[in-house]
Amino acid sequence: MSQVDHRQNANEHRAAREAHLIASEKARDLSRELKINDFHGGIHPPENKHQSTGEPIGSIPLAEDLIVPLNQHIGGTAIPLVKLGDLVKKGQKIAEADGPVSCPVHAPSSGKVVAIEPFSVPHPSGMVADCIQIRTDGRDEWCALTPLADYAHREIDEVLEQIRDCGIAGMGGAGFPTAVKLNPRGGAEIDTLIINGTECEPYITADDMLMRERASEIIGGVEILAHLLDQPERVLIGIEDNKPEAIKAMKQAAVGTRFHVVVFPTKYPSGGEKQLIEILTGREVPNEGLPANVGIVCQNVGTARAVFRAVTLGEPLISRVTTVVGESLERQRNIEVPLGTPIRHILEHHGLDRKQLQRIVIGGPMMGYTIEDENAPVVKTTNCILAPTNNELPPPPPAQACIRCGLCAEVCPARLLPQQLYWYARAEDREKLQAYNLFDCIECGACSYVCPSSIPLVQYYRAAKGDIREARLEKEKADRARERFEYRKLRLEKAEQEKEAKRLARKKAAEEARRQREQNADTPEAKAAKEESDVVAAALARVKAKQATPEQQLARAQRTLTSAEHRVERMQSKLNEAEEAQKPQLEAQLKTAELKLKEAREKLAETEKLAASAPVQQTPSAEQSEPTVTQDKLTVAGASSSAAGAAIEKAKAAAAARASMSPQEKLATEIDALKKRVEKAEARLIKAREEDDPNTGAFETALEKMQGKLQEKLTQQSQNGNGSGE
């Protein structure tokens, strides 16, 4: 190695050491500056967390059928990519995201698609939603995975697309798509990343056990999150002080990083996003605002682990750690369970005693909700399945009248007035509810917990929120419909104005042309226009002359009568030979034919009267004359046949003459005919403009088409001439 190389390596080592010292100094300064804050209100309900932390994270046998909902998150429902009978592998994408705020869905195990239809899903309303049912094959065979190697040197959008494609959504709250949350819009500058390991809800220990046993994966995910947010100034991992094992594991995993594990006193609901932000930073998220509005992004520890596995292993989100707890179960613990596993299957493998079971709660006793259908599946946000007994979680007593004690306002972590919201919710006063910041309510249940009258306040707030959201959607639909109507009205008015302007312009042009003709009546151009007008008049006269003569009308009436007579005879013959079942229908047809025969006879009589009163037509020759209208109908028919024969012979002669022409002669003939048609069309257009005919536009279009055809023929003639000359 040369002296230059030694010097360069020494400089790089010195720079790296200085950068490390600066980072360490910043970390020490941050630790000194970090202050634990408190939030308004809060309560201390019994934790009941020891029941499910006695053994490591386990697993259960794979269910025979997995019910995978197409929407397990906030946002649009995914679009299925599979159909009935398809074989899928574990991790294979089976539904594509629909829109930017949506997540794809992947197969939790290998098997066969046996249904794509609505099933019960975990929801407070007990609703059904579209799901894909997979009949597992027991092999649990993975599809090919595509990890993103060396993510630190990849484009940010590429890493975000990997997270989006793996279906990662928030696993500690409502399930907001993680890729959307990591890409804040509106120019928000993020200076703080908060990892939520609080898990303040009683009974739930999924995040606690995850931090104890998967701390290195969580820290790996935090490194990816910090990279995607352009290395924010602070990365804080917040954990309540009632999780000593998790705190120890996370601190050991964070050694050598600039991440800070921050421990703070236990109080419910410190795990709320806005409350945790206030505890760690002292900042308050604005009304109906987002943490990004104050420069913060908050993610759950389970989400961080899912991001790590998605980027480094290419593994989509197809399972999660879930707490299974309750005194009606023989075994209480945390398990890593495939998404789509029916809750009944999980409870059966934990020794459920149905005689003691009071109800099944998804989530904890404070913010959870009861489900009626045990076949509902585990989804991305299912952090706990609680199966309590009556002694453990007795049903609430009947609600009584509010005594206005004010305890609900004292414990509300969002600084709301729950009592006022309760009255306005009962009165369905949506304006007042929004004025009192109903949507700042995190539905933690603290107000219901302390209410001496046992009023289910949270249920009122949830129902009121749903009504307001529905009213907003209806208003948006009405606004869009009104906008479409107004736009259509303006468009029609504009079209009508343009049409009127064109009509006035045509009228003005016609009047101007008329004045010019009157001023130049004796000019050669005026005479030529008059001749063209005479040509059109002569053509119209010829058309009128070709209308049916009395002889032709009489012959037509005779043919109609003969046809009607023959039809009556045929129908009579069919009726005589028909069976009894067919006779009613044939009799009706016979009556119709007889009516038409009667009409034909009346028409013939009327035509004969008109022909008798018409003058006899004679030819210019004195030696031959046309048959009169009083002659026999055979003579008239013969005359018509002679005229038709003459026309046929004339057409044959023209066809024979055309067949003997050369291609150049045929082309010249077509050009002459087109020129005559163009001249006639121009004359017709001039006349229409003078008379302000409403069909002037159609005449203009027809003339343009004929002129185009004529130009094509002339071009073809010119090319043929050039070709023959060469």
Side-chain angles (χ1 to χ4, degrees):
M1 183 179 292
S2 66
Q3 187 175 1
V4 176
D5 293 335
H6 279 293
R7 190 180 299 110
Q8 183 178 359
N9 289 341
N11 291 335
E12 291 177 354
H13 180 70
R14 189 181 302 108
R17 187 174 58 207
E18 291 176 355
H20 179 71
L21 290 174
I22 292 172
S24 300
E25 186 64 26
K26 286 184 177 179
R28 284 193 293 271
D29 292 342
L30 179 61
S31 298
R32 288 193 294 269
E33 294 175 1
L34 190 62
K35 176 185 176 183
I36 303 301
N37 302 282
D38 195 8
F39 61 90
H40 179 269
I43 56 176
H44 295 83
E47 295 179 5
N48 289 317
K49 292 180 179 286
H50 64 280
Q51 295 97 317
S52 56
T53 57
E55 58 179 287
I57 298 173
S59 61
I60 59 173
L62 190 64
E64 180 181 0
D65 288 323
L66 299 176
I67 311 298
V68 186
L70 294 177
N71 191 335
Q72 305 179 40
H73 50 270
I74 287 179
T77 301
I79 303 172
L81 299 176
V82 294
K83 57 183 184 299
L84 292 180
D86 284 356
L87 299 178
V88 297
K89 292 185 178 180
K90 184 177 182 179
Q92 177 182 334
K93 186 186 293 187
I94 57 177
E96 185 58 86
D98 184 15
V101 185
S102 183
C103 278
V105 177
H106 302 77
S109 184
S110 57
K112 181 179 180 180
V113 177
V114 296
I116 304 176
E117 58 187 51
F119 287 90
S120 293
V121 295
H123 194 272
S125 66
M127 63 180 286
V128 297
D130 291 335
C131 302
I132 297 176
Q133 182 180 2
I134 300 175
R135 180 76 39 85
T136 56
D137 55 16
R139 294 194 294 269
D140 210 30
E141 182 180 358
W142 278 93
C143 68
L145 301 179
T146 55
L148 201 61
D150 196 15
Y151 70 86
H153 294 87
R154 302 287 187 118
E155 294 290 336
I156 296 295
D157 289 341
E158 188 177 357
V159 183
L160 285 174
E161 184 60 31
Q162 176 79 356
I163 294 172
R164 181 183 296 108
D165 200 52
C166 287
I168 309 301
M171 301 175 68
F176 197 85
T178 303
V180 179
K181 204 171 184 179
L182 292 173
N183 192 16
R185 305 296 180 185
E189 294 184 3
I190 305 301
D191 59 20
T192 304
L193 170 62
I194 293 179
I195 305 301
N196 190 346
T198 306
E199 198 170 46
C200 59
E201 177 94 3
Y203 283 97
I204 307 177
T205 59
D207 289 348
D208 185 0
M209 297 302 297
L210 190 66
M211 289 187 287
R212 295 187 195 185
E213 301 183 20
R214 310 283 195 273
S216 60
E217 293 185 357
I218 295 173
I219 294 298
V222 176
E223 290 177 346
I224 298 173
L225 296 175
H227 169 70
L228 293 174
L229 295 172
D230 195 20
Q231 300 299 337
E233 295 178 8
R234 298 186 296 179
V235 179
L236 309 177
I237 304 173
I239 308 175
E240 284 186 327
D241 59 7
N242 62 349
K243 304 175 181 62
E245 294 90 343
I247 294 169
K248 180 180 179 181
M250 291 297 292
K251 285 185 175 180
Q252 289 178 351
V255 171
T257 69
R258 61 187 185 90
F259 309 151
H260 294 270
V261 177
V262 184
V263 182
F264 50 89
T266 300
K267 184 169 74 167
Y268 180 84
S270 57
E273 190 174 60
K274 294 182 179 180
Q275 285 67 43
L276 181 60
I277 289 172
E278 187 174 357
I279 289 172
L280 299 181
T281 68
R283 302 177 189 176
E284 293 188 15
V285 180
N287 176 35
E288 294 194 44
L290 298 173
N293 299 137
V294 293
I296 296 175
V297 167
C298 191
Q299 294 286 358
N300 177 262
V301 291
T303 308
R305 182 211 179 201
V307 167
F308 171 79
R309 298 185 71 84
V311 174
T312 60
L313 304 178
E315 185 178 302
L317 181 53
I318 57 174
S319 66
R320 68 155 297 140
V321 175
T322 298
T323 303
V324 185
V325 66
E327 292 183 359
S328 64
L329 301 173
E330 290 182 5
R331 192 177 189 184
Q332 304 179 56
R333 58 173 178 163
N334 286 274
I335 59 172
E336 179 101 20
V337 58
L339 303 181
T341 302
I343 291 172
R344 179 190 299 274
H345 178 77
I346 297 173
L347 296 177
E348 288 175 352
H349 282 83
H350 286 80
L352 175 66
D353 185 353
R354 295 191 177 277
K355 294 181 179 179
Q356 297 187 44
L357 176 67
Q358 183 219 32
R359 54 181 168 141
I360 298 174
V361 179
I362 300 299
M366 301 298 295
M367 298 183 68
Y369 53 88
T370 302
I371 63 168
E372 301 296 335
D373 191 348
E374 297 178 11
N375 293 315
V378 170
V379 296
K380 296 177 182 180
T381 57
T382 307
N383 56 359
C384 178
I385 301 173
L386 176 59
T389 62
N390 280 320
N391 293 330
E392 184 180 18
L393 198 65
Q400 299 177 7
C402 174
I403 61 174
R404 295 176 174 83
C405 62
L407 291 176
C408 54
E410 293 179 7
V411 301
C412 178
R415 293 186 175 89
L416 301 177
L417 297 175
Q419 181 189 118
Q420 299 298 323
L421 292 174
Y422 164 65
W423 292 118
Y424 294 137
R426 290 191 59 178
E428 298 183 359
D429 191 337
R430 295 170 183 165
E431 293 184 0
K432 286 290 187 180
L433 286 169
Q434 295 183 76
Y436 278 77
N437 302 323
L438 171 66
F439 283 90
D440 277 357
C441 172
I442 63 173
E443 302 177 16
C444 64
C447 54
S448 300
Y449 182 81
V450 300
C451 179
S453 298
S454 301
I455 301 173
L457 297 170
V458 175
Q459 280 77 356
Y460 281 100
Y461 304 154
R462 283 177 180 168
K465 286 181 180 180
D467 291 341
I468 293 174
R469 290 191 185 102
E470 187 175 351
R472 286 178 178 177
L473 290 175
E474 292 297 328
K475 184 178 182 300
E476 289 175 3
K477 290 180 182 178
D479 291 343
R480 287 195 297 268
R482 186 179 64 255
E483 289 174 1
R484 289 196 302 269
F485 172 76
E486 292 176 352
Y487 175 76
R488 180 177 180 273
K489 184 179 179 181
L490 290 175
R491 179 169 52 82
L492 293 176
E493 289 177 355
K494 184 178 179 181
E496 189 64 29
Q497 292 173 359
E498 292 176 353
K499 183 178 178 181
E500 180 66 16
K502 289 181 179 179
R503 190 189 69 80
L504 293 175
R506 289 197 302 268
K507 183 177 180 180
K508 184 177 180 181
E511 291 175 353
E512 184 66 25
R514 188 179 298 109
R515 282 195 297 269
Q516 291 291 337
R517 285 196 302 273
E518 291 175 354
Q519 294 174 2
N520 305 317
D522 297 332
T523 61
E525 291 80 1
K527 292 179 180 179
K530 187 174 185 305
E531 290 176 358
E532 291 178 357
S533 178
D534 293 341
V535 170
V536 174
L540 291 173
R542 286 196 298 272
V543 171
K544 291 180 180 179
K546 290 181 179 179
Q547 291 179 349
T549 62
E551 293 87 348
Q552 293 172 336
Q553 294 179 4
L554 184 60
R556 191 180 298 116
Q558 286 288 350
R559 288 196 298 272
T560 303
L561 177 62
T562 303
S563 176
E565 290 174 347
H566 289 169
R567 178 169 178 77
V568 170
E569 292 176 0
R570 288 196 305 271
M571 295 306 302
Q572 187 64 53
S573 176
K574 286 184 180 180
L575 181 61
N576 294 335
E577 297 174 359
E579 298 178 358
E580 290 297 329
Q582 300 176 345
K583 283 186 178 182
Q585 182 179 0
L586 292 174
E587 287 176 353
Q589 294 177 358
L590 177 59
K591 289 182 180 180
T592 303
E594 289 175 346
L595 288 174
K596 290 186 178 180
L597 176 59
K598 182 180 178 182
E599 292 176 358
R601 287 172 178 167
E602 293 175 353
K603 183 67 176 177
L604 177 59
E606 183 180 350
T607 305
E608 287 176 346
K609 290 180 180 178
L610 292 174
S613 61
V616 178
Q617 297 181 358
Q618 295 183 349
T619 61
S621 173
E623 297 177 356
Q624 292 182 340
S625 63
E626 292 292 337
T628 63
V629 295
T630 57
Q631 288 178 305
D632 187 80
K633 63 181 180 179
L634 294 175
T635 305
V636 176
S640 301
S641 299
S642 299
I648 292 171
E649 292 300 327
K650 183 178 180 180
K652 287 181 178 179
R658 182 174 177 80
S660 62
M661 291 181 182
S662 65
Q664 291 80 6
E665 291 173 342
K666 290 181 180 179
L667 183 58
T669 304
E670 292 177 358
I671 291 173
D672 291 339
L674 279 173
K675 287 180 177 179
K676 293 178 181 179
R677 292 176 62 191
V678 168
E679 291 175 358
K680 292 180 180 179
E682 289 175 345
R684 182 172 62 226
L685 178 59
I686 291 171
K687 184 177 179 182
R689 287 174 175 170
E690 292 175 352
E691 298 176 354
D692 196 17
D693 194 320
N695 297 319
T696 301
F699 293 153
E700 291 174 351
T701 304
L703 177 59
E704 290 175 1
K705 290 183 178 179
M706 282 190 283
Q707 288 174 340
K709 290 182 180 179
L710 177 59
Q711 187 60 39
E712 290 178 4
K713 295 295 182 181
L714 290 172
T715 303
Q716 183 180 353
Q717 187 182 46
S718 176
Q719 292 175 350
N720 291 341
N722 293 337
S724 62
E726 294 175 358

